[in-house]
Amino acid sequence: MQEYLLSFLIVTGAVFTFIGSLGLARLRDFYTRLHGPTKATTLGVGCLLIASAVFFSTQGEQLSLHEMLITLFLFITAPVSAHLLAKAALHLRLKSLAAIPKKAEE
Amino acid sequence: MRRLLPHPIVTPVLAVIWLLLVNSTGAGHILLGILLGWAIPFFTLQFWPDKVTIYKPLTLLRFTAIVFIDILLANFIVARLILGSPSRLKPAFVAIPLALKSDIAISLLANTISLTPGTVSALLTADRQHLVVHALDVDDAASLIAAIKERYEKPLKEIFEKC
Amino acid sequence: MLNYALMIAFALVSAAVALSFWRLFRGPDTPDRILALDTLYINTIALLILLGIYLKSALYFEAALLIALMGFVGTVALCKYLLRGDIIE
């Protein structure tokens, strides 16, 4: 039972990690590419880390929760780096599929 | 009291982080965690920005739950959009007029927007009146703005700002 | 069962690393490359965690935590350079 849960979490996590990178490679302008890694990859790695916590808690003699630290850290930092990247891209006037609003150009 | 324990919430949070980091719940580590949790805010007091007051803790809990569910949903939505045909996407920049004033509320709103369905916050204008958001696939900009204001901005305003 | 799941996961994450590398070399602009590096470090964390489960060793956790911290600092520093570099010009 626990093995099925672990396998499910690991495969789900890997699939989301892959989809995040696929978005990075496949989409057509910088701003849309930004969406893949910030969301899909974060959840994917989160799933893998939860799988790791479950694995080591049931294998070892004591509870292992330190994986939660990386998950928490990634969930806090992912939007910050996405915001900074988008801000840098707007600053450099990268070409975009969507019209850049006037408010961003000041 | 205020001078001896400057940040009553930060102290237990730091202690828990220490326990997670050493991955143990021994009595010695709990003691060391509490000591560190007290000492770090105490000695870094001068570097801290303005004090944050939470007016409605229960709304904060409900908001966290909503955001967590939205993050899970967001991933399936974004995954479907990425796997679909890239030429069918309709990306757009949307400027959201802000009703929030405090730093913490604005930064939490920006982070929430980045983690939830198909939107990434891109820029806060210099006058702090608008937040420019990039949406991956948008049909109706006005309804997106209304949804964000209703779902995320309103609870944040209730939590962090006195009405 | 777990071994099959791990093999599938290794294959998918390796493919993700390859795609990020492709974007890193292809560009076309600097922010694209920074975003590719950002994705690469998160993929590396995923690989390390999988390796830790595969080898039943908790040692890889420290490496993953350090990569997470340093990767974020690196991304922020590069973005700040882009934002400030233009102002000085």
Side-chain angles (χ1 to χ4, degrees), chain A residues 3 17 21 24-25 33 66, chain C residues 1-2 23 32 43 61 86:
Chain A
E3 205 176 316
T17 314
S21 289
L24 177 71
R33 273 175 218 142
H66 58 186
Chain C
M1 176 81 178
L2 191 59
R23 180 53 72 193
D32 284 299
N43 288 339
F61 164 79
D86 252 41

Side-chain angles (χ1 to χ4, degrees), chain A residues 18-71:
Chain A
F18 175 72
I19 287 175
S21 289
L22 189 69
L24 177 71
R26 191 160 179 241
L27 297 177
R28 294 190 307 169
D29 80 329
F30 174 75
Y31 302 98
T32 51
R33 273 175 218 142
L34 199 53
H35 287 268
T38 43
K39 296 194 190 71
T41 309
T42 312
L43 184 85
V45 177
C47 277
L48 289 177
L49 286 161
I50 292 169
S52 168
V54 172
F55 180 78
F56 285 110
S57 299
T58 48
Q59 291 280 313
E61 59 277 14
Q62 60 164 355
L63 206 60
S64 166
L65 285 176
H66 58 186
E67 283 85 357
M68 290 302 144
L69 269 185
I70 304 185
T71 319

